[in-house]
Amino acid sequence: MAEDLSISTPYTNHYFSSLAPAMLQFVPLLHRWQAGPAATRLPTQDRFNYVEFGCGQALSLLIMAAGNPNATFYGIDYSAAHIARARRMADQAGLANVVLMERAFEDMKPEDLPPIDMAVLHGVYSWIPPAARDALVDVIDRHLRPGGIVYVSYNTLTSWTALLPIQKLLTEFAAQASGSPEDRARKALDFLEKLLETNSGHFKDAKALAAWLKHTKGGDIRYVLHEYFVSHWEPTPHSEVAARFGRAKLNYVGTCDVVDTLDRFILQPAASKALSEVPAGPLRETAGDLMRNNGFRRDVYVRGPVATTPSEWRDRVREQRFALIRRRDRCGMSAKFPIGTVELNKEAFDPALDRLADGPATLGDLLPIMGETQDGNALRRLVTMVAAGYAAPCPPVDADPGPSDRLNRVLADEVALGHSHDVLASPVLGAGARVATPRIVALAKDTPPPAPGAPEEPDYLAERRLMDNLRVRLRRG
Ligand SMILES: C[S@@+](CC[C@H](N)C(=O)[O-])C[C@H]1O[C@@H](n2cnc3c(N)ncnc32)[C@H](O)[C@@H]1O
């Protein structure tokens, strides 16, 4: 087994919106399944338990915890440095609903966790040995409630196969190199560059590999160490992941890449038709990944999903609330999807976007504004906005803003000290809202707003409006 160079180097600390409880509830709803706490209620109406395995420094977990103060958030990671950093931040923000555990998945005991409603693992599954994968599934099997939701992201075989021998070469080189883990990784990448320059055999005209190497050498070395210099690096087809999670009675229900429900934005019509002829299930998912060249999946599984009746689904979908997460003036009609840039129909989208620019609304509120009578059509339009990064599903009611305000103060103070966060907690989303780093610095320093008529005023007002709608603020003082 190759040495794991990542263990002693803390990972990067990024926020991932697909881990939001409201998003995890939205995916089964989209596919007409009941799932989540008590399977009939949306999470923030009640208490729920959420666990992140391999939480790293836990920025996502802390933001979700601040945005959902009536739920309890458990973060598990075997890195002492990660857990220490996360705990310090949770304490500074006074987040009472966070439990952080320095623990290997393989060493978890039944008493470590209560019954769980949602379990997530992001950037973990493809990078750990089979024994750790099995241990994770056992822990989930032991604790996940019926109707519970699991999110797992992983690299598929689709676009990573060419890198398999290269990753082995890099880790073998690093094993015999000297210096810190960072030095050894850099030396391994330099070694690969030399081999590429020979332009021979496997390296002949290897343009994609050269581009990957350039990108990797220019990247954050902490990311590179955790991505490629781990003991196990195993891109996996969907069918294998689905089979492993199947052991914990988990059924695949859909993906957080909600654009997957919009066929025409993914594949050309002939390809779409060919894919629809593949039997539904793991085979279609794997074939779809190959046809789309999709190298990264964000699967959602449910333990015992129950199909909704058409009227149950209509009621639930009409109650679903959405919020705008991008400045209205930046929600353009040219949007990027897997198939390429698509021109959206202004008349179909503008009324809903304008309404959401005034604050969150349910699909039921938006139906008449969109001039739609069909729930399915209206939902497809909302999903298009979600896939374009304009809107997000959010819980039915706003949370107590106190914990978000306090965490935002901690994040802003860190930004003022040179950290590069671009997200703050929103009690409306129960999740994070992207905020430009300079705006966070301005908030941290209580910089006065631009003078009326100043060139920067329109930007300031547009950002201010978005943040007010999402109730993104700092605790004062
Ligand atoms: C690539 S990082 C991902 C961190 C975070 N989820 C993110 O996406 O930013 C993988 C994390 O899993 C943790 N990890 C890896 N193997 C583990 C194991 N067997 N038990 C517990 N934690 C583990 C590492 O310490 C690291 O924080």
Side-chain angles (χ1 to χ4, degrees):
M1 195 202 294
E3 182 187 352
D4 192 328
L5 286 192
S6 72
I7 285 176
S8 57
T9 305
Y11 189 54
T12 49
N13 197 14
H14 292 305
Y15 170 77
F16 299 99
S17 57
S18 48
L19 306 184
M23 186 63 179
L24 299 179
Q25 290 256 115
F26 181 61
V27 172
L29 176 67
L30 193 53
H31 295 273
R32 296 174 182 254
W33 295 109
Q34 291 182 25
T40 53
R41 289 162 292 153
L42 288 167
T44 49
Q45 288 175 319
D46 216 332
R47 303 195 164 277
F48 64 95
N49 292 328
Y50 175 114
V51 57
E52 181 173 4
F53 295 103
C55 60
Q57 300 179 47
L59 181 62
S60 301
L61 189 84
L62 299 183
I63 286 180
M64 304 311 172
N68 299 275
N70 45 0
T72 307
F73 288 76
Y74 296 81
I76 319 280
D77 202 291
Y78 66 13
S79 158
H82 287 172
I83 293 296
R85 161 98 165 100
R87 190 168 286 156
R88 197 167 47 245
M89 203 184 239
D91 288 349
Q92 282 171 341
L95 298 181
N97 59 336
V98 178
V99 180
L100 294 155
M101 253 178 269
E102 181 199 329
R103 200 78 92 246
F105 311 139
E106 301 87 320
D107 297 337
M108 289 193 71
K109 306 265 182 306
E111 57 273 23
D112 284 339
L113 288 174
I116 291 295
D117 299 289
M118 295 187 206
V120 300
L121 43 152
H122 184 76
V124 175
Y125 189 85
S126 305
W127 299 266
I128 56 175
R133 294 177 175 191
D134 286 337
L136 262 176
V137 173
D138 289 346
V139 175
I140 290 172
D141 190 21
R142 197 158 62 209
H143 295 279
L144 193 74
R145 285 191 165 122
I149 300 174
V150 174
Y151 163 96
V152 52
S153 66
Y154 54 98
N155 281 352
T156 67
L157 278 174
T158 304
S159 51
W160 295 101
T161 34
L163 268 188
L164 282 168
I166 301 299
Q167 191 267 343
K168 299 269 178 264
L169 179 84
L170 290 173
T171 48
E172 273 173 42
F173 184 94
Q176 53 80 59
S178 58
S180 67
E182 289 86 343
D183 288 341
R184 290 158 69 190
R186 285 197 190 96
K187 285 176 186 170
L189 293 169
D190 289 344
F191 169 66
L192 175 62
E193 194 163 43
K194 281 214 180 76
L195 298 188
L196 254 174
E197 280 162 10
T198 65
N199 198 32
S200 81
H202 188 78
F203 302 109
K204 192 162 175 54
D205 299 328
K207 289 200 181 62
L209 180 57
W212 171 86
L213 182 61
K214 186 163 180 254
H215 175 78
T216 304
K217 285 188 89 170
D220 186 326
I221 193 70
R222 296 170 301 165
Y223 171 81
V224 172
L225 276 172
H226 282 264
E227 178 70 36
Y228 301 110
F229 291 87
V230 288
S231 64
H232 267 81
W233 185 77
E234 203 181 321
T236 316
H238 167 80
S239 46
E240 247 179 79
V241 181
R244 194 181 244 106
F245 280 94
R247 288 194 347 232
K249 301 186 207 153
L250 286 160
N251 289 76
Y252 174 73
V253 296
T255 156
C256 281
D257 295 303
V258 292
V259 71
D260 280 28
T261 57
L262 305 169
D263 290 349
R264 67 183 196 287
F265 294 161
I266 307 172
L267 292 169
Q268 298 296 345
S272 198
K273 182 169 178 298
L275 185 60
S276 70
E277 286 161 8
V278 178
L283 185 62
R284 187 187 289 174
E285 295 301 317
T286 301
D289 286 336
L290 284 158
M291 291 172 77
R292 290 174 47 193
N293 214 7
N294 180 30
F296 187 68
R297 287 188 63 105
R298 300 187 291 161
D299 287 359
V300 177
Y301 294 81
V302 171
R303 185 170 171 121
V306 177
T308 48
T309 65
S311 67
E312 274 169 344
W313 185 76
R314 195 199 55 220
D315 291 350
R316 287 291 312 280
V317 91
R318 286 189 179 182
E319 283 169 12
Q320 177 65 55
R321 205 163 69 129
F322 295 88
L324 208 65
I325 55 168
R326 187 178 291 188
R327 284 168 46 171
R328 174 66 183 95
D329 58 318
R330 299 224 167 130
C331 299
M333 288 299 109
S334 294
K336 284 207 176 91
F337 296 110
I339 203 166
T341 301
V342 172
E343 286 304 317
L344 301 175
N345 177 350
K346 204 169 150 48
E347 280 164 28
F349 285 91
D350 267 357
L353 286 167
D354 287 342
R355 166 62 189 84
L356 289 172
D358 290 334
T362 63
L363 187 108
D365 298 332
L366 292 168
L367 273 169
I369 292 167
M370 290 194 278
E372 248 320 325
T373 50
Q374 300 291 321
D375 301 287
N377 290 346
L379 184 61
R380 258 191 299 283
R381 244 179 265 171
L382 264 305
V383 170
T384 304
M385 295 180 208
V386 174
Y390 299 169
C394 61
V397 288
D398 296 355
D400 166 12
S404 294
D405 294 354
R406 294 198 301 271
L407 180 64
N408 290 345
R409 164 57 65 188
V410 176
L411 288 167
D413 286 347
E414 286 202 351
V415 171
L417 290 172
H419 291 263
S420 57
H421 305 304
D422 62 353
V423 65
L424 294 175
S426 157
V428 173
L429 297 175
R434 297 278 173 203
V435 178
T437 303
R439 173 73 47 221
I440 301 182
V441 174
L443 280 170
K445 296 188 173 163
D446 252 330
T447 311
E456 58 277 26
E457 197 202 19
D459 270 345
Y460 168 83
L461 291 176
E463 284 166 17
R464 188 70 266 166
R465 184 177 184 202
L466 180 65
M467 288 170 65
D468 285 348
N469 280 339
L470 298 176
R471 309 235 189 293
V472 173
R473 318 177 299 202
L474 298 190
R475 185 178 62 89
R476 294 275 132 227

